[in-house]
Amino acid sequence: MMYRSYKIKVEWLLIMLLFFSLFKLSYIPGGLRQAIKIASLIMILLFLLKKMPTKMLINISLVFPVCVMLSGTISYFQGINTLRSLLESILYSLLFYDSYTMVLYFKIKNRYNYFLKALYGIVSFFVSINVVTIFMFGSDGNMEPIYLLGNKFISSYMMIFLVSLYGATHDIVTQSSKAKYYSLIAVSMILCLYMRSITALIGLLLVLICSLNKNILSKIISNPKVLVVSMIASAGVIFVFDYLLSIPTINYLIFNFFGKSISIFGRQVIYDEYLTKLITGERLWIGSGYNNSAILMMSGGVFGNAQNGLMEHFVAYGLVGVFAILSTAYYCLKKGRADEHSYYMLLTTYAMVIAATVEVTINWFFFMSLFIVANCNENKIHI
């Protein structure tokens, strides 16, 4: 009994360390936060090397990190990127590998249910505290005040992730459970409106629609081909962006209802000028490396990223990196079991894909929801 209790505490600590590695807590000094991240990832890796069967250590999560480190190494030796960026690319790659392999560990040890219950509890705790900071600092929609979990985008995407975790860890069948689930969505939408996080609000609308039509949509969104096509389409928006803005309804919603004229004009410049040059440039295949300044330098310091989820990875890792991401996404859905458990987690995946049309949201929320789906068990989780 004591050994089992010790095992549970160690596993819970590892899940907490993974959370701290994935998501930055704003009120921890940057240097200390980085030190905690490095130590956490090393501890997780050592644990996995000791506890995991050797054959399980070689898995799909190695494919994308290899591309990241390849791009980072080549870019560094060509003088395009810095040594710090190269070292950060190694850390990013390790986090990617640790994240997937830890979920895999809990599955093969028949502790997958415990993993999601613990993760749900941790996310619930930090979201609750973050809500307090949201009301403490308020929001004017543009200044993006820093909350516990970061800016308004991270804070709002975390709520989408929480909604998915709630759905995956509860039986949404009784009137009471449905009321709690949809209340959580409603509260999350209100908070997104308060923070003026429009992409997250649209994502939550998608979650709501998919939740209300689960029986109809479950087979569609669990199809790996649908996900890959959706991701490619989210990047393809940059080629038809001007046309979309010419559609009266879309134009009215963006410029009048949401009041996003300045940010939209900025995206037009990025899509029409800078991304077009990068697509036809010499960095087509391997990109400019992790944490690069390609867009920043091309725009004279005006724009910091591609403002598109998949295209941001294209800028960093080229077509090779994009193919690795698409392959990983396809594999995760192909490997995972299509049931209620995975369905709710996929809602975060697709919410991030929708947001990726105009934001950099092929991110840790996207990847973690995919990793969870890839390793889902047949049994429904009960809390």
Side-chain angles (χ1 to χ4, degrees), residues 371-382:
F371 298 164
I372 291 170
V373 170
N375 294 290
C376 67
N377 286 338
E378 294 186 3
N379 299 324
K380 181 69 177 178
I381 299 173
H382 297 276

Side-chain angles (χ1 to χ4, degrees), residues 161-191:
F161 192 51
L162 176 62
V163 168
S164 285
L165 284 170
Y166 184 94
T169 55
H170 292 75
D171 285 318
I172 314 297
V173 290
T174 65
Q175 291 300 320
S176 175
S177 62
K178 288 181 180 179
K180 292 177 182 178
Y181 175 71
Y182 289 111
S183 294
L184 180 59
I185 294 177
V187 170
S188 298
M189 292 175 72
I190 291 170
L191 287 170

Side-chain angles (χ1 to χ4, degrees), residues 103 107 111-117 163-172 214 218 221-222 336-348 368-382:
V103 183
K107 177 182 179 179
R111 302 282 294 154
Y112 184 79
N113 289 8
Y114 174 80
F115 170 78
L116 271 197
K117 288 168 64 176
V163 168
S164 285
L165 284 170
Y166 184 94
T169 55
H170 292 75
D171 285 318
I172 314 297
K214 179 160 59 73
S218 59
I221 72 169
S222 60
R337 184 175 185 271
D339 59 4
E340 289 187 9
H341 175 86
S342 61
Y343 182 82
Y344 286 105
M345 292 311 306
L346 275 175
L347 299 186
T348 289
M368 278 305 297
S369 59
L370 270 183
F371 298 164
I372 291 170
V373 170
N375 294 290
C376 67
N377 286 338
E378 294 186 3
N379 299 324
K380 181 69 177 178
I381 299 173
H382 297 276

Side-chain angles (χ1 to χ4, degrees), residues 144 153 157 199 237-238 241-242 245 254 260-275 303 305-308 355-360:
E144 297 184 9
F153 297 109
Y157 298 150
T199 51
V237 165
I238 69 169
F241 195 68
D242 292 338
L245 291 180
I254 292 175
K260 291 289 181 178
S261 57
I262 296 177
S263 61
I264 290 301
F265 286 139
R267 286 175 174 83
Q268 280 183 294
V269 175
I270 294 171
Y271 299 164
D272 293 345
E273 294 186 26
Y274 308 128
L275 286 181
F303 304 111
N305 58 59
Q307 291 294 304
N308 181 280
T357 56
V358 291
E359 296 289 352
V360 181

